[in-house]
Each structure stands twice: as structure tokens, then as C-alpha cells.
Amino acid sequence: MRTSSLRLGQRSRFSHLGSDDPRHIDVLQRACRDVVGRLENLEGRQMLTGVVEWLMNEGPGNTIVNDTAPDGGAQTGELIDGPTWVADRNGTAGRAISLDGVNDYINGSDDFSPWVGNTTTVSFWLKTTARGSDNPRATASVIGTGASSLPEQDIFFGFLDASGRIGLHVPGTLPTGVANAKDTVKSTQRVNDGTWHHIAMTRDTVTGDIKMYVDGFLNDSGVANADVRNSAPMRNVGATTLTAGTAFFNGQIDEFRIDNEALGA
């Protein structure tokens, strides 16, 4: 799997072509098809593995319904302290949730740790201009916990670092004899540019593999501690319990999803 190496504002090998040059248009069309194809491939496999899927198509109200629930569980989300409904990535009003980073969040009706703490894929669409901290224990994650009985039982899916890149952090003793052993994977580029990005983070508790995908492209991968994380509940989206208190995520979220497999784009 490759990463996208072209940065925003960076000259590409096609930049000598005029914007109306047919060759330039063809390059852009092929690039768009590549991204769309990767996302559709991921969505197709998610039809078989979804546990929680909040499409957020119900519009304004205080409850988000689970559009998958293959195990029969309700797994709804209740809006706490005033998250607001905003337009989604397609511009449709009232089809995404905005979290203010101050005190609001989405409270799940169930504890998600049986899935989030095990082999999983956590994915969502994100729009934000916020920055966080390079220390995952000092900033909010989209979902996770910093309040386990043992620090190595914590996990942080979707924290923003100080530059605006998004990351997955899995504390614990790293495996030995592995070339790519690391406890954190991050996006290659900043995602806090005020535009919608599809984020997918995967973790395999058999192999220890962790991966970060942005807009369908693998950005980073490594091998982390593979222990299951189930000593603390994880039911809040946008609120992370830390030793110093609760941190709240700042950004707009749509189509939040938890799968019980480590999917690939």
C-alpha cells in the first residue's frame, strides 16, 4: 500500500501542464477516481463487519441511531451539552455533528470497549481547524480512554497533535525483534485545514499492526503492543477521560463507524 506523496501547495510532476490542458484534466480525473475507488472498496467491506454505524442522516434531534447493529444492540448516541447539527461533506444541512472542544460530546448507549479495545477499525469523516498536543494523554481523542487501571491499558483513537495531524496511540511495551515497532501512527499531512477528510484507523490484536488511512490512502503503519484494552469503558465520542480530567474534541464529525475487523483501503 502506498501513501499519497503530493502535498497541498507543492509542485507536482504534472505542474508544467496548464489547468486547461487535456493531459492535466486527465491526471486529475484519474486521481479522483483512485481516491473514490479506495473509499468505495473500504465501504463495501464494511457492510460485513460493522458494529456501530452512525450515518447521522436523521437530522436535528438529541439521539443518533445505529444504522448497522448486526448483534441486535441499540448502540445509539445521545448528544450531551449541546453538540450542533451542521452540513455534511455534501453540503446537506443537518447531517453531521459539530463538537465545540469545550464541553459537548456524544454519549454511547453501550460500552464500545469490547470492539474498540480489540481488533477494530474506527472510521469517520472529519472537518476541523483545531490543534491538540503531541502528548496523546494531554488532548482529546475522537474515542478512547486515558483512565484505565493500568496506563498500558489506555488507547487513543483520533487525537490531534500540535501541528494538526491526526493519530492513533497504543501505549504498552513494544514487541521485540520487529523493525517497525512503534506505539503511534499519524497522518502524513495536517488534517486541520477546514476541509472534510475520511479517517480510518485500524488495530489488529493478533499481529499488533496499527495503521492510519486518510482519504483512502495508507499514511503510516507500525507494530504496537497487541494487548486487548478492556479495563475502562469507552462509550463517549468526543470526550476523553484523562488523569487530569476530561478533554473534549473540537471538530465536525460525520458517518462515525466501528468495525470488528482491521480493514484495509
Side-chain angles (χ1 to χ4, degrees):
M1 192 72 68
R2 63 185 177 88
T3 61
S4 177
S5 60
L6 179 60
R7 298 172 182 266
L8 292 175
Q10 188 179 47
R11 289 176 61 86
S12 76
R13 59 196 174 102
F14 305 107
S15 58
H16 65 285
L17 302 178
S19 60
D20 57 350
D21 190 305
R23 292 171 296 171
H24 184 269
I25 295 172
D26 182 61
V27 168
L28 292 177
Q29 289 176 335
R30 282 186 281 119
C32 289
R33 287 196 298 268
D34 192 15
V35 171
V36 171
R38 288 171 182 270
L39 292 178
E40 288 179 343
N41 187 33
L42 174 61
E43 290 172 353
R45 275 171 288 171
Q46 283 180 318
M47 293 177 64
L48 305 175
T49 62
V51 175
V52 177
E53 183 178 40
W54 293 344
L55 294 178
M56 303 182 184
N57 288 338
E58 56 269 50
N62 290 323
T63 302
I64 300 173
V65 300
N66 185 5
D67 297 282
T68 297
D71 59 355
Q75 292 140 358
T76 58
E78 180 184 4
L79 305 188
I80 304 296
D81 288 331
T84 55
W85 290 90
V86 295
D88 64 13
R89 69 185 188 280
N90 299 312
T92 305
R95 292 294 186 267
I97 291 293
S98 180
L99 303 172
D100 63 11
V102 177
N103 63 350
D104 58 20
Y105 61 98
I106 307 170
N107 177 249
S109 61
D110 293 25
D111 175 15
F112 298 147
S113 64
W115 306 287
V116 178
N118 214 309
T119 294
T120 191
T121 299
V122 175
S123 62
F124 47 86
W125 285 91
L126 173 67
K127 180 180 179 181
T128 186
T129 57
R131 296 174 184 263
S133 170
D134 291 332
N135 178 7
R137 296 185 180 278
T139 191
S141 299
V142 172
I143 191 169
T145 182
S148 301
S149 56
L150 297 172
E152 56 268 27
Q153 278 283 303
D154 294 337
I155 195 164
F156 306 90
F157 279 90
F159 74 94
L160 292 172
D161 71 10
S163 68
R165 295 190 300 163
I166 194 165
L168 161 62
H169 177 59
V170 184
T173 303
L174 292 175
T176 58
V178 177
N180 199 27
K182 63 169 90 172
D183 60 12
T184 304
V185 288
K186 293 184 181 182
S187 60
T188 306
Q189 309 291 340
R190 297 185 305 108
V191 298
N192 65 342
D193 56 2
T195 61
W196 285 102
H197 294 282
H198 187 266
I199 309 299
M201 296 162 285
T202 70
R203 179 173 182 248
D204 190 322
T205 54
V206 175
T207 64
D209 289 344
I210 54 175
K211 296 180 180 180
M212 170 66 68
Y213 295 88
V214 178
D215 296 330
F217 289 93
L218 177 64
N219 277 210
D220 197 7
S221 63
V223 183
N225 184 285
D227 293 346
V228 172
R229 312 297 161 110
N230 56 10
S231 68
M234 288 180 271
R235 63 191 310 157
N236 296 330
V237 173
T240 310
T241 303
L242 305 170
T243 55
T246 301
F248 297 92
F249 193 85
N250 186 351
Q252 298 177 21
I253 294 177
D254 191 18
E255 297 183 19
F256 174 83
R257 185 180 175 100
I258 300 171
D259 289 88
N260 59 8
E261 290 186 14
L263 303 175

